[in-house]
Amino acid sequence: MLATPIVQFGTSRFLQAHADLFISEALKDGRALGPITVVQTSGDPGRAKRLKALAMKAGFDVRVRGLIEGARVDDVRTVTSVSKALSTDLDRPEVERVLRDEAEIILSNTTEHGFLPRPADNGSTFSQAMSFPAKLAHLLFSRFAENARPLQVMPCELLHKNGAALKARVLPVAERLSSEYARWLETRVLWVNSLVDRIVSEPLEPAGAVTEPYALWAVEACVGLTLPCAHPALKVVGDLDDVETMKLFILNLGHTYLVENWRRADAPQSFVRERMDDATIRKDLLDLYTDEVLPAFAAEGRGREADRYIDETLDRLANPYLDHRLADIARNHKQKVALRIGGFLAFANRAVPGYRAPRLEAILARHAD
């Protein structure tokens, strides 16, 4: 079996329709580092069928549906970039071997909950009960002990400065194992910040997903950076904050605003596109963007860019071919209000002291402790 220079932690449908698809397309033209080993960290037996299907030789399908400049797109692309599928629960020795002998880049897209510290993180040996960062610290120790080759880690979680965030959670665990190991992680492992953007609305069975045409993988430029592939959606940027604020405070904020009003109205719709089919709701969202969001970006000299992104976002939210469930977006709603709306108001007040956004301020107040 071919070596897999890319090791991916997480089996999410998002990664299937994002990094896995991009690398698969690039491999066909010889423009990718190589195939992928996918590692399931949760140990959830209910996902065993999906894990196995990811590495089937025939691949798995990603269906891309939406509009590009008014033209309908509805095509199926087969992803064949995943060569191996392993579990930290059942295959840990092989996971450690691949990380030691084959890995050049690590990708991850675990849950926000998976990042949070757990009591088991203080243990001296690997445990399935550990958080993802603690598991990673234990799994990489063999590489340090055997060859200490350099490595690149590229998280795809939706966290600010996600590479730095993961590093900050891994190092304390590593320090308890060995101070020399922690220094290796600090100096010989490159922790890359990136931001991903693609609406992936539903899974296909046993593996695969339905997604929109729009896709972005923005990677922050840094010394020594190696890209996993060449792809139009993968862009190296000098300032990731500009990309992040645009996505978080327009697209993600819009999602949270729609869900807030949907919940308060106890409305019957199931999907984002159904909310956007209502002309009154769509106009209300446009008014929110125009009156309460756009002025903050304009004050930073990014008004024209934000205006274009708002137009694009409205079309993405109204995509008639995606079943993007409001209930899915509503998970962890209070935390999302704090991050997206509270974060925007802090951002806006830095740009314009005393900035007012009455509708957004009212939502934040309703969810205050």
Side-chain angles (χ1 to χ4, degrees), residues 40-83:
Q40 181 198 49
T41 60
S42 68
D44 181 357
R47 296 186 178 181
K49 185 177 179 182
R50 177 201 293 178
L51 182 65
K52 182 179 179 180
L54 288 174
M56 291 179 64
K57 188 174 182 179
F60 58 86
D61 290 339
V62 170
R63 187 175 184 184
V64 181
R65 306 191 77 197
L67 300 173
I68 298 180
E69 296 180 352
R72 177 175 176 173
V73 173
D74 189 351
D75 61 69
V76 175
R77 303 174 191 178
T78 301
V79 176
T80 57
S81 53
V82 178
S83 178

mmCIF file of all heavy atoms in Angstrom, residues 40-83:
data_model
loop_
_atom_site.group_PDB
_atom_site.id
_atom_site.type_symbol
_atom_site.label_atom_id
_atom_site.label_comp_id
_atom_site.label_asym_id
_atom_site.label_seq_id
_atom_site.Cartn_x
_atom_site.Cartn_y
_atom_site.Cartn_z
ATOM 1 N N GLN A 40 -10.066 8.094 12.877
ATOM 2 C CA GLN A 40 -11.206 8.410 13.735
ATOM 3 C C GLN A 40 -10.719 8.452 15.178
ATOM 4 O O GLN A 40 -10.089 7.503 15.663
ATOM 5 C CB GLN A 40 -12.291 7.340 13.595
ATOM 6 C CG GLN A 40 -13.528 7.608 14.437
ATOM 7 C CD GLN A 40 -14.373 6.363 14.634
ATOM 8 O OE1 GLN A 40 -13.856 5.320 15.000
ATOM 9 N NE2 GLN A 40 -15.660 6.469 14.377
ATOM 10 N N THR A 41 -10.976 9.554 15.865
ATOM 11 C CA THR A 41 -10.505 9.707 17.241
ATOM 12 C C THR A 41 -11.583 9.439 18.280
ATOM 13 O O THR A 41 -11.265 9.205 19.443
ATOM 14 C CB THR A 41 -9.958 11.131 17.466
ATOM 15 O OG1 THR A 41 -10.994 12.083 17.219
ATOM 16 C CG2 THR A 41 -8.770 11.400 16.557
ATOM 17 N N SER A 42 -12.841 9.484 17.872
ATOM 18 C CA SER A 42 -13.935 9.370 18.849
ATOM 19 C C SER A 42 -14.123 7.956 19.373
ATOM 20 O O SER A 42 -14.602 7.752 20.484
ATOM 21 C CB SER A 42 -15.249 9.855 18.232
ATOM 22 O OG SER A 42 -15.670 8.961 17.212
ATOM 23 N N GLY A 43 -13.771 6.973 18.549
ATOM 24 C CA GLY A 43 -14.026 5.593 18.928
ATOM 25 C C GLY A 43 -15.487 5.205 18.848
ATOM 26 O O GLY A 43 -15.884 4.137 19.332
ATOM 27 N N ASP A 44 -16.309 6.035 18.215
ATOM 28 C CA ASP A 44 -17.745 5.789 18.121
ATOM 29 C C ASP A 44 -18.004 4.600 17.198
ATOM 30 O O ASP A 44 -17.759 4.688 15.990
ATOM 31 C CB ASP A 44 -18.434 7.046 17.583
ATOM 32 C CG ASP A 44 -19.941 6.904 17.479
ATOM 33 O OD1 ASP A 44 -20.466 5.813 17.764
ATOM 34 O OD2 ASP A 44 -20.609 7.890 17.092
ATOM 35 N N PRO A 45 -18.522 3.490 17.734
ATOM 36 C CA PRO A 45 -18.762 2.318 16.867
ATOM 37 C C PRO A 45 -19.843 2.571 15.828
ATOM 38 O O PRO A 45 -19.881 1.907 14.793
ATOM 39 C CB PRO A 45 -19.195 1.231 17.859
ATOM 40 C CG PRO A 45 -19.694 1.968 19.059
ATOM 41 C CD PRO A 45 -18.880 3.222 19.130
ATOM 42 N N GLY A 46 -20.708 3.565 16.078
ATOM 43 C CA GLY A 46 -21.755 3.893 15.121
ATOM 44 C C GLY A 46 -21.218 4.474 13.832
ATOM 45 O O GLY A 46 -21.935 4.524 12.830
ATOM 46 N N ARG A 47 -19.959 4.920 13.859
ATOM 47 C CA ARG A 47 -19.351 5.502 12.658
ATOM 48 C C ARG A 47 -18.369 4.553 11.983
ATOM 49 O O ARG A 47 -17.646 4.951 11.069
ATOM 50 C CB ARG A 47 -18.646 6.807 13.017
ATOM 51 C CG ARG A 47 -19.606 7.883 13.525
ATOM 52 C CD ARG A 47 -18.909 9.193 13.743
ATOM 53 N NE ARG A 47 -19.831 10.235 14.174
ATOM 54 C CZ ARG A 47 -19.488 11.493 14.426
ATOM 55 N NH1 ARG A 47 -18.213 11.858 14.269
ATOM 56 N NH2 ARG A 47 -20.379 12.387 14.809
ATOM 57 N N ALA A 48 -18.339 3.313 12.427
ATOM 58 C CA ALA A 48 -17.398 2.343 11.866
ATOM 59 C C ALA A 48 -17.666 2.103 10.381
ATOM 60 O O ALA A 48 -16.730 1.954 9.579
ATOM 61 C CB ALA A 48 -17.471 1.031 12.641
ATOM 62 N N LYS A 49 -18.944 2.075 9.998
ATOM 63 C CA LYS A 49 -19.295 1.852 8.595
ATOM 64 C C LYS A 49 -18.783 2.997 7.724
ATOM 65 O O LYS A 49 -18.248 2.775 6.631
ATOM 66 C CB LYS A 49 -20.810 1.707 8.461
ATOM 67 C CG LYS A 49 -21.288 1.341 7.070
ATOM 68 C CD LYS A 49 -22.806 1.154 7.046
ATOM 69 C CE LYS A 49 -23.292 0.802 5.649
ATOM 70 N NZ LYS A 49 -24.784 0.663 5.614
ATOM 71 N N ARG A 50 -18.944 4.237 8.225
ATOM 72 C CA ARG A 50 -18.443 5.392 7.474
ATOM 73 C C ARG A 50 -16.932 5.337 7.345
ATOM 74 O O ARG A 50 -16.381 5.579 6.270
ATOM 75 C CB ARG A 50 -18.848 6.692 8.167
ATOM 76 C CG ARG A 50 -18.295 7.937 7.461
ATOM 77 C CD ARG A 50 -18.238 9.156 8.347
ATOM 78 N NE ARG A 50 -19.538 9.630 8.728
ATOM 79 C CZ ARG A 50 -19.739 10.674 9.537
ATOM 80 N NH1 ARG A 50 -18.693 11.318 10.041
ATOM 81 N NH2 ARG A 50 -20.956 11.055 9.857
ATOM 82 N N LEU A 51 -16.262 5.018 8.436
ATOM 83 C CA LEU A 51 -14.804 4.961 8.420
ATOM 84 C C LEU A 51 -14.310 3.973 7.377
ATOM 85 O O LEU A 51 -13.415 4.276 6.579
ATOM 86 C CB LEU A 51 -14.297 4.577 9.814
ATOM 87 C CG LEU A 51 -12.776 4.519 9.980
ATOM 88 C CD1 LEU A 51 -12.167 5.895 9.801
ATOM 89 C CD2 LEU A 51 -12.423 3.936 11.345
ATOM 90 N N LYS A 52 -14.890 2.792 7.355
ATOM 91 C CA LYS A 52 -14.490 1.772 6.385
ATOM 92 C C LYS A 52 -14.751 2.238 4.956
ATOM 93 O O LYS A 52 -13.923 2.027 4.057
ATOM 94 C CB LYS A 52 -15.238 0.471 6.667
ATOM 95 C CG LYS A 52 -14.852 -0.678 5.747
ATOM 96 C CD LYS A 52 -15.618 -1.951 6.112
ATOM 97 C CE LYS A 52 -15.246 -3.096 5.170
ATOM 98 N NZ LYS A 52 -15.981 -4.348 5.506
ATOM 99 N N ALA A 53 -15.899 2.894 4.731
ATOM 100 C CA ALA A 53 -16.283 3.334 3.386
ATOM 101 C C ALA A 53 -15.355 4.419 2.851
ATOM 102 O O ALA A 53 -15.175 4.544 1.629
ATOM 103 C CB ALA A 53 -17.725 3.819 3.383
ATOM 104 N N LEU A 54 -14.762 5.216 3.735
ATOM 105 C CA LEU A 54 -13.897 6.298 3.286
ATOM 106 C C LEU A 54 -12.706 5.781 2.493
ATOM 107 O O LEU A 54 -12.217 6.462 1.586
ATOM 108 C CB LEU A 54 -13.408 7.118 4.484
ATOM 109 C CG LEU A 54 -14.438 8.016 5.167
ATOM 110 C CD1 LEU A 54 -13.850 8.642 6.420
ATOM 111 C CD2 LEU A 54 -14.943 9.094 4.218
ATOM 112 N N ALA A 55 -12.220 4.601 2.844
ATOM 113 C CA ALA A 55 -11.007 4.087 2.205
ATOM 114 C C ALA A 55 -11.289 3.023 1.154
ATOM 115 O O ALA A 55 -10.352 2.356 0.691
ATOM 116 C CB ALA A 55 -10.073 3.530 3.273
ATOM 117 N N MET A 56 -12.530 2.857 0.729
ATOM 118 C CA MET A 56 -12.829 1.892 -0.326
ATOM 119 C C MET A 56 -12.133 2.310 -1.623
ATOM 120 O O MET A 56 -12.055 3.502 -1.940
ATOM 121 C CB MET A 56 -14.336 1.786 -0.534
ATOM 122 C CG MET A 56 -15.059 1.131 0.626
ATOM 123 S SD MET A 56 -16.854 1.024 0.377
ATOM 124 C CE MET A 56 -16.915 -0.074 -1.043
ATOM 125 N N LYS A 57 -11.618 1.345 -2.345
ATOM 126 C CA LYS A 57 -10.839 1.636 -3.554
ATOM 127 C C LYS A 57 -11.637 2.437 -4.571
ATOM 128 O O LYS A 57 -11.090 3.287 -5.278
ATOM 129 C CB LYS A 57 -10.351 0.325 -4.177
ATOM 130 C CG LYS A 57 -9.373 0.530 -5.319
ATOM 131 C CD LYS A 57 -8.805 -0.794 -5.799
ATOM 132 C CE LYS A 57 -7.792 -0.573 -6.917
ATOM 133 N NZ LYS A 57 -7.204 -1.857 -7.394
ATOM 134 N N ALA A 58 -12.948 2.184 -4.636
ATOM 135 C CA ALA A 58 -13.797 2.908 -5.592
ATOM 136 C C ALA A 58 -14.026 4.349 -5.187
ATOM 137 O O ALA A 58 -14.514 5.158 -5.978
ATOM 138 C CB ALA A 58 -15.136 2.194 -5.742
ATOM 139 N N GLY A 59 -13.690 4.697 -3.951
ATOM 140 C CA GLY A 59 -13.880 6.056 -3.474
ATOM 141 C C GLY A 59 -15.290 6.308 -2.968
ATOM 142 O O GLY A 59 -16.108 5.404 -2.853
ATOM 143 N N PHE A 60 -15.558 7.558 -2.669
ATOM 144 C CA PHE A 60 -16.893 7.972 -2.234
ATOM 145 C C PHE A 60 -17.279 9.232 -2.991
ATOM 146 O O PHE A 60 -16.417 9.940 -3.536
ATOM 147 C CB PHE A 60 -16.954 8.194 -0.719
ATOM 148 C CG PHE A 60 -15.981 9.222 -0.193
ATOM 149 C CD1 PHE A 60 -16.305 10.574 -0.168
ATOM 150 C CD2 PHE A 60 -14.736 8.834 0.285
ATOM 151 C CE1 PHE A 60 -15.420 11.515 0.317
ATOM 152 C CE2 PHE A 60 -13.833 9.777 0.776
ATOM 153 C CZ PHE A 60 -14.172 11.115 0.787
ATOM 154 N N ASP A 61 -18.574 9.514 -3.035
ATOM 155 C CA ASP A 61 -19.077 10.616 -3.857
ATOM 156 C C ASP A 61 -19.307 11.888 -3.047
ATOM 157 O O ASP A 61 -19.766 11.842 -1.900
ATOM 158 C CB ASP A 61 -20.390 10.223 -4.534
ATOM 159 C CG ASP A 61 -20.206 9.173 -5.610
ATOM 160 O OD1 ASP A 61 -19.077 9.045 -6.111
ATOM 161 O OD2 ASP A 61 -21.191 8.482 -5.944
ATOM 162 N N VAL A 62 -19.013 13.011 -3.691
ATOM 163 C CA VAL A 62 -19.397 14.333 -3.193
ATOM 164 C C VAL A 62 -20.249 14.979 -4.276
ATOM 165 O O VAL A 62 -19.808 15.108 -5.424
ATOM 166 C CB VAL A 62 -18.175 15.204 -2.873
ATOM 167 C CG1 VAL A 62 -18.601 16.645 -2.584
ATOM 168 C CG2 VAL A 62 -17.403 14.630 -1.688
ATOM 169 N N ARG A 63 -21.462 15.365 -3.915
ATOM 170 C CA ARG A 63 -22.373 15.999 -4.878
ATOM 171 C C ARG A 63 -22.342 17.510 -4.677
ATOM 172 O O ARG A 63 -22.608 18.004 -3.582
ATOM 173 C CB ARG A 63 -23.799 15.478 -4.691
ATOM 174 C CG ARG A 63 -24.757 15.964 -5.774
ATOM 175 C CD ARG A 63 -26.134 15.336 -5.622
ATOM 176 N NE ARG A 63 -27.011 15.739 -6.713
ATOM 177 C CZ ARG A 63 -28.297 15.405 -6.804
ATOM 178 N NH1 ARG A 63 -28.860 14.654 -5.854
ATOM 179 N NH2 ARG A 63 -29.032 15.817 -7.826
ATOM 180 N N VAL A 64 -21.988 18.220 -5.719
ATOM 181 C CA VAL A 64 -21.879 19.676 -5.683
ATOM 182 C C VAL A 64 -23.114 20.268 -6.351
ATOM 183 O O VAL A 64 -23.359 20.035 -7.543
ATOM 184 C CB VAL A 64 -20.600 20.152 -6.402
ATOM 185 C CG1 VAL A 64 -20.484 21.673 -6.335
ATOM 186 C CG2 VAL A 64 -19.364 19.489 -5.783
ATOM 187 N N ARG A 65 -23.887 21.066 -5.573
ATOM 188 C CA ARG A 65 -25.155 21.592 -6.079
ATOM 189 C C ARG A 65 -25.266 23.079 -5.766
ATOM 190 O O ARG A 65 -24.989 23.526 -4.645
ATOM 191 C CB ARG A 65 -26.343 20.881 -5.431
ATOM 192 C CG ARG A 65 -26.333 19.373 -5.530
ATOM 193 C CD ARG A 65 -27.671 18.802 -5.112
ATOM 194 N NE ARG A 65 -28.670 18.974 -6.158
ATOM 195 C CZ ARG A 65 -29.985 18.864 -5.969
ATOM 196 N NH1 ARG A 65 -30.463 18.632 -4.764
ATOM 197 N NH2 ARG A 65 -30.815 19.021 -6.977
ATOM 198 N N GLY A 66 -25.671 23.853 -6.762
ATOM 199 C CA GLY A 66 -25.880 25.280 -6.526
ATOM 200 C C GLY A 66 -25.879 26.068 -7.811
ATOM 201 O O GLY A 66 -26.100 25.521 -8.902
ATOM 202 N N LEU A 67 -25.634 27.361 -7.670
ATOM 203 C CA LEU A 67 -25.609 28.273 -8.810
ATOM 204 C C LEU A 67 -24.266 28.971 -8.875
ATOM 205 O O LEU A 67 -23.724 29.397 -7.853
ATOM 206 C CB LEU A 67 -26.717 29.327 -8.687
ATOM 207 C CG LEU A 67 -28.167 28.822 -8.615
ATOM 208 C CD1 LEU A 67 -29.111 29.978 -8.333
ATOM 209 C CD2 LEU A 67 -28.553 28.137 -9.918
ATOM 210 N N ILE A 68 -23.734 29.075 -10.076
ATOM 211 C CA ILE A 68 -22.549 29.887 -10.322
ATOM 212 C C ILE A 68 -22.912 30.896 -11.397
ATOM 213 O O ILE A 68 -23.176 30.533 -12.548
ATOM 214 C CB ILE A 68 -21.354 29.025 -10.776
ATOM 215 C CG1 ILE A 68 -20.960 28.024 -9.680
ATOM 216 C CG2 ILE A 68 -20.166 29.923 -11.114
ATOM 217 C CD1 ILE A 68 -19.792 27.144 -10.067
ATOM 218 N N GLU A 69 -22.966 32.168 -10.983
ATOM 219 C CA GLU A 69 -23.369 33.257 -11.886
ATOM 220 C C GLU A 69 -24.687 32.923 -12.577
ATOM 221 O O GLU A 69 -24.845 33.135 -13.784
ATOM 222 C CB GLU A 69 -22.259 33.535 -12.911
ATOM 223 C CG GLU A 69 -20.970 34.031 -12.271
ATOM 224 C CD GLU A 69 -19.877 34.315 -13.291
ATOM 225 O OE1 GLU A 69 -20.083 33.980 -14.480
ATOM 226 O OE2 GLU A 69 -18.835 34.864 -12.912
ATOM 227 N N GLY A 70 -25.614 32.390 -11.807
ATOM 228 C CA GLY A 70 -26.949 32.095 -12.310
ATOM 229 C C GLY A 70 -27.104 30.768 -13.014
ATOM 230 O O GLY A 70 -28.226 30.330 -13.289
ATOM 231 N N ALA A 71 -25.992 30.103 -13.305
ATOM 232 C CA ALA A 71 -26.055 28.813 -13.994
ATOM 233 C C ALA A 71 -26.098 27.682 -12.984
ATOM 234 O O ALA A 71 -25.334 27.674 -12.013
ATOM 235 C CB ALA A 71 -24.854 28.643 -14.917
ATOM 236 N N ARG A 72 -26.968 26.722 -13.221
ATOM 237 C CA ARG A 72 -27.135 25.610 -12.300
ATOM 238 C C ARG A 72 -25.942 24.663 -12.372
ATOM 239 O O ARG A 72 -25.465 24.302 -13.449
ATOM 240 C CB ARG A 72 -28.414 24.848 -12.623
ATOM 241 C CG ARG A 72 -28.625 23.617 -11.747
ATOM 242 C CD ARG A 72 -29.943 22.951 -12.011
ATOM 243 N NE ARG A 72 -30.074 21.719 -11.231
ATOM 244 C CZ ARG A 72 -31.183 20.997 -11.163
ATOM 245 N NH1 ARG A 72 -32.258 21.375 -11.827
ATOM 246 N NH2 ARG A 72 -31.220 19.899 -10.426
ATOM 247 N N VAL A 73 -25.460 24.252 -11.194
ATOM 248 C CA VAL A 73 -24.406 23.245 -11.069
ATOM 249 C C VAL A 73 -24.975 22.091 -10.268
ATOM 250 O O VAL A 73 -25.527 22.279 -9.186
ATOM 251 C CB VAL A 73 -23.163 23.814 -10.351
ATOM 252 C CG1 VAL A 73 -22.143 22.710 -10.088
ATOM 253 C CG2 VAL A 73 -22.543 24.943 -11.147
ATOM 254 N N ASP A 74 -24.880 20.891 -10.801
ATOM 255 C CA ASP A 74 -25.328 19.703 -10.090
ATOM 256 C C ASP A 74 -24.527 18.525 -10.629
ATOM 257 O O ASP A 74 -24.901 17.904 -11.620
ATOM 258 C CB ASP A 74 -26.826 19.476 -10.281
ATOM 259 C CG ASP A 74 -27.368 18.374 -9.377
ATOM 260 O OD1 ASP A 74 -26.562 17.676 -8.730
ATOM 261 O OD2 ASP A 74 -28.597 18.216 -9.308
ATOM 262 N N ASP A 75 -23.376 18.274 -10.005
ATOM 263 C CA ASP A 75 -22.549 17.179 -10.491
ATOM 264 C C ASP A 75 -21.986 16.360 -9.331
ATOM 265 O O ASP A 75 -21.918 16.825 -8.196
ATOM 266 C CB ASP A 75 -21.432 17.687 -11.409
ATOM 267 C CG ASP A 75 -20.485 18.636 -10.709
ATOM 268 O OD1 ASP A 75 -19.725 18.186 -9.830
ATOM 269 O OD2 ASP A 75 -20.514 19.833 -11.041
ATOM 270 N N VAL A 76 -21.611 15.158 -9.625
ATOM 271 C CA VAL A 76 -21.079 14.232 -8.632
ATOM 272 C C VAL A 76 -19.600 14.008 -8.914
ATOM 273 O O VAL A 76 -19.210 13.700 -10.047
ATOM 274 C CB VAL A 76 -21.842 12.896 -8.667
ATOM 275 C CG1 VAL A 76 -21.206 11.892 -7.703
ATOM 276 C CG2 VAL A 76 -23.313 13.109 -8.320
ATOM 277 N N ARG A 77 -18.789 14.175 -7.899
ATOM 278 C CA ARG A 77 -17.347 13.977 -8.020
ATOM 279 C C ARG A 77 -16.924 12.843 -7.086
ATOM 280 O O ARG A 77 -17.336 12.819 -5.921
ATOM 281 C CB ARG A 77 -16.606 15.267 -7.672
ATOM 282 C CG ARG A 77 -17.059 16.442 -8.543
ATOM 283 C CD ARG A 77 -16.451 17.750 -8.127
ATOM 284 N NE ARG A 77 -17.096 18.862 -8.816
ATOM 285 C CZ ARG A 77 -16.794 20.143 -8.622
ATOM 286 N NH1 ARG A 77 -15.841 20.462 -7.752
ATOM 287 N NH2 ARG A 77 -17.440 21.081 -9.284
ATOM 288 N N THR A 78 -16.130 11.948 -7.587
ATOM 289 C CA THR A 78 -15.688 10.803 -6.805
ATOM 290 C C THR A 78 -14.341 11.102 -6.153
ATOM 291 O O THR A 78 -13.397 11.508 -6.826
ATOM 292 C CB THR A 78 -15.586 9.548 -7.679
ATOM 293 O OG1 THR A 78 -16.872 9.277 -8.245
ATOM 294 C CG2 THR A 78 -15.152 8.351 -6.843
ATOM 295 N N VAL A 79 -14.285 10.901 -4.852
ATOM 296 C CA VAL A 79 -13.078 11.184 -4.071
ATOM 297 C C VAL A 79 -12.318 9.879 -3.842
ATOM 298 O O VAL A 79 -12.859 8.924 -3.279
ATOM 299 C CB VAL A 79 -13.447 11.822 -2.721
ATOM 300 C CG1 VAL A 79 -12.198 12.030 -1.862
ATOM 301 C CG2 VAL A 79 -14.178 13.142 -2.943
ATOM 302 N N THR A 80 -11.058 9.861 -4.281
ATOM 303 C CA THR A 80 -10.242 8.644 -4.144
ATOM 304 C C THR A 80 -8.922 8.919 -3.429
ATOM 305 O O THR A 80 -7.968 8.164 -3.570
ATOM 306 C CB THR A 80 -9.957 8.037 -5.529
ATOM 307 O OG1 THR A 80 -9.312 9.024 -6.352
ATOM 308 C CG2 THR A 80 -11.234 7.570 -6.202
ATOM 309 N N SER A 81 -8.878 9.998 -2.674
ATOM 310 C CA SER A 81 -7.619 10.383 -2.030
ATOM 311 C C SER A 81 -7.354 9.638 -0.730
ATOM 312 O O SER A 81 -6.220 9.653 -0.226
ATOM 313 C CB SER A 81 -7.614 11.892 -1.759
ATOM 314 O OG SER A 81 -8.769 12.278 -1.034
ATOM 315 N N VAL A 82 -8.381 9.013 -0.143
ATOM 316 C CA VAL A 82 -8.201 8.335 1.147
ATOM 317 C C VAL A 82 -7.737 6.900 0.896
ATOM 318 O O VAL A 82 -8.431 6.103 0.274
ATOM 319 C CB VAL A 82 -9.497 8.342 1.977
ATOM 320 C CG1 VAL A 82 -9.283 7.583 3.285
ATOM 321 C CG2 VAL A 82 -9.937 9.777 2.253
ATOM 322 N N SER A 83 -6.541 6.576 1.390
ATOM 323 C CA SER A 83 -5.950 5.260 1.171
ATOM 324 C C SER A 83 -6.145 4.322 2.356
ATOM 325 O O SER A 83 -6.285 3.114 2.187
ATOM 326 C CB SER A 83 -4.451 5.422 0.892
ATOM 327 O OG SER A 83 -3.827 4.178 0.727
#
